[in-house]
Amino acid sequence: MEKKFEHFDTVDFNFDKNALRIIDQTLLPTKINMLELDDEKSIWDAIHLLKVRGAPAIGVAAAIGIAILSKKIKTEDIDEYKSEFNRIKNYLETSRPTAVNLFWALDRMKVVVDGYGGDNPLELNELLMAEAAEIREEDIKVCKSIGENGLKLLKDGMGILTHCNAGSLATVKYGTATAPMYLAHEAGMKIKVFADETRPLLQGARLTAYELNAAGIDTTLICDNMSQTVMRQGKVDIIFVGCDRVAVNGDACNKIGTSMVALAAKRHNIPFYICAPTSTIDFSIESGEEIVIEERKPEEITEMWYEQRMAPEGINVYNPAFDVTDADLITGIITEYGIIYPPFKEGILKLKEENNL
Ligand code: MRU
C-alpha cells in the first residue's frame, strides 16, 4: 500500500519497542518517514527541531516520551524513581518555551507521580503509561469537539483563511483550526481554504496545504504578505487559526504573522477565530505580555530554504517564532466546550470553574 500520512496518527506509542512514534514533519511533504524515539536526547531534539510540532502534538509527544523514558529507569527504589522522573521532566521542559501544552502535559504526568503512595516503580510506570494514553485519546476527542463547534460558523461556499499549521499534523488527528474544515468537507459543504505559507518554516506550505489537499479540500496557497489582498478581494469570509498559549484576558499567542492576519481581518470586518483546546489556556497568566516568545536561529531566514544564501553574510537577523494577537482583535475562541466570546476574561474563568480545569 502507498505510504500516506493519513494512514498514521501524528503522535503515538510503539508499545513493542517502548518508543515514541512520530512522523518526521521536517521532511514533509516530499518524504514520509516515521521515527521511533526511545532516548531522552532524541525526544528532546524531535521537539526542539520541530520533527513533532504544533502545541497539542508537542504535549502528547512529551507525555508519551516521559512515560516510555520512565519505563527505562533502573531502580527498585521509589524515591530514586521519582527523582529521575523529575530530572527528565525538567529536561524535556527546556525543548521549546512557548506552547503551554508541553508544560501542561508534563505537569499532568507529574500529578500521577506525586499522587502515587506505593513503593513499586513498575506499578507507577503502568499508571504513567495509562495517563499518557489518556492524554493522547483526549486530544482526538477534543479536536473533534472543536471541529463540531467551529462547523456551526460555516456555510456552503465560504472562503476560510488559516495561518501556519493547526492541522491534523499539529495534533494527534483532525487538528484544531482545520477540524471544522474537515467536518465541513465530510458533510459535503463546498469551502475554499487559503493557506498562508508561513515564513520562515513554511508550515502552511509544507503541512497545511499538503494535508488539506490530500483530503480533497479546495486549498489555495498564498505567501504571508498576500493575505490582506485576498481579504480585500472579498475571498475570505472567516479566519480560523490555532494557538500556542491563551492568556486569561484572551490574548492569544500563535505562529509569527498571526497578529498581522488579525489586524487585516479587523480592517475588513472578517471574523477572526482562535481554535484552542483548553489545554492551551494558561490560567496562570493575565495577559500575552507574560508569554515567553521563542527565538530561533537566523539560518531559517537567510539560507535554510534556498539553493544559495539569500542575505549578506553577517547581517543582523531577528527571528521570533510566535506573536501575540491582542484579545480585542479576536472574535471568539473555539474550545472543546464551546465558543468563548468577549469579554474573554469572564468567559475563560467561567469555563475554568464549570469544568474544573
Ligand atoms: O512552531 P510550530 O510549528 O510548533 O508552531 C505551531 C503553531 O503556531 C500552531 O498554530 C499552534 O501550535 C496550534 S497547533 C493546533
Side-chain angles (χ1 to χ4, degrees):
M1 189 172 64
E2 193 198 346
K3 213 168 160 190
K4 280 188 163 183
F5 90 93
E6 59 271 45
H7 297 145
F8 307 104
D9 291 351
T10 307
V11 195
D12 209 345
F13 289 89
N14 181 327
F15 288 109
D16 295 338
K17 295 187 182 164
N18 188 41
L20 164 68
R21 181 178 159 86
I22 57 166
I23 299 175
D24 184 349
Q25 299 195 37
T26 59
L27 302 179
L28 290 172
T30 44
K31 199 164 173 217
I32 296 168
N33 190 32
M34 303 305 293
L35 298 174
E36 313 274 2
L37 309 173
D38 63 0
D39 66 276
E40 61 185 53
K41 176 76 171 78
S42 56
I43 292 173
W44 189 93
D45 275 352
I47 298 173
H48 186 68
L49 300 171
L50 277 63
K51 291 178 185 180
V52 58
R53 35 71 47 208
I58 292 171
V60 176
I64 296 178
I66 201 160
I68 62 113
L69 292 171
S70 299
K71 199 167 181 176
K72 294 177 198 292
I73 300 172
K74 288 193 181 25
T75 178
E76 285 172 15
D77 182 302
I78 196 68
D79 293 330
E80 255 175 52
Y81 181 93
K82 287 185 176 183
S83 100
E84 184 59 2
F85 169 93
N86 286 328
R87 185 195 62 74
I88 301 168
K89 175 178 184 283
N90 293 339
Y91 173 63
L92 291 181
E93 279 177 348
T94 62
S95 55
R96 289 190 80 186
T98 305
V100 74
N101 304 60
L102 172 68
F103 308 93
W104 170 86
L106 289 170
D107 284 348
R108 222 175 115 165
M109 298 297 280
K110 186 167 156 55
V111 168
V112 174
V113 170
D114 292 346
Y116 180 70
D119 61 359
N120 182 350
L122 287 177
E123 188 177 60
L124 175 52
N125 193 257
E126 291 292 307
L127 297 177
L128 286 172
M129 294 291 273
E131 185 69 0
E134 177 63 25
I135 288 174
R136 184 181 173 285
E137 281 310 305
E138 272 177 30
D139 184 69
I140 299 173
K141 287 189 207 131
V142 158
C143 287
K144 190 133 193 254
S145 301
I146 290 174
E148 284 157 359
N149 293 330
L151 182 62
K152 295 177 195 141
L153 302 168
L154 295 181
K155 291 195 189 72
D156 206 39
M158 269 188 162
I160 309 167
L161 185 134
T162 191
H163 189 77
C164 192
N165 174 267
S168 66
L169 286 162
T171 63
V172 180
K173 263 184 191 174
Y174 304 114
T176 57
T178 57
M181 304 175 199
Y182 284 122
L183 294 187
H185 182 66
E186 240 170 68
M189 257 184 211
K190 286 198 175 28
I191 51 167
K192 187 168 178 61
V193 179
F194 290 92
D196 284 354
E197 149 190 72
T198 317
R199 286 272 294 157
L201 287 183
L202 308 181
Q203 290 94 330
R206 295 187 301 108
L207 308 175
T208 304
Y210 171 62
E211 63 166 86
L212 294 180
N213 200 45
I217 296 176
D218 179 346
T219 306
T220 302
L221 177 64
I222 55 172
C223 297
D224 301 330
N225 50 6
M226 297 169 190
S227 57
Q228 202 279 141
T229 292
V230 290
M231 290 185 214
R232 190 185 172 96
Q233 290 171 344
K235 293 176 178 162
V236 179
D237 300 292
I238 194 164
I239 295 165
F240 287 150
V241 295
C243 188
D244 287 80
R245 205 183 276 239
V246 183
V248 169
N249 72 347
D251 287 352
C253 179
N254 190 47
K255 181 54 51 188
I256 192 77
T258 304
S259 62
M260 284 166 50
V261 173
L263 280 163
K266 187 81 165 180
R267 175 72 177 85
H268 295 288
N269 285 320
I270 299 169
F272 176 93
Y273 285 91
I274 294 288
C275 302
T278 46
S279 54
T280 301
I281 303 176
D282 186 344
F283 295 102
S284 74
I285 59 167
E286 266 305 305
S287 85
E289 292 300 310
E290 294 171 65
I291 299 172
V292 177
I293 304 285
E294 178 181 16
E295 270 189 51
R296 298 188 61 90
K297 56 184 185 177
E299 292 77 16
E300 290 179 354
I301 296 179
T302 54
E303 59 206 83
M304 187 164 168
W305 305 103
Y306 302 119
E307 277 183 13
Q308 61 185 44
R309 196 181 161 88
M310 278 294 149
E313 291 287 352
I315 190 74
N316 290 331
V317 173
Y318 177 46
N319 185 13
F322 297 93
D323 63 19
V324 173
T325 299
D326 294 328
D328 65 335
L329 298 174
I330 299 169
T331 309
I333 302 172
I334 308 176
T335 74
E336 68 271 32
Y337 294 106
I339 306 178
I340 310 172
Y341 288 101
F344 288 119
K345 184 166 179 175
E346 219 172 282
I348 286 173
L349 293 178
K350 187 160 171 257
L351 186 89
K352 180 176 188 307
E353 198 184 308
E354 282 176 358
N355 300 290
N356 249 332
L357 302 170

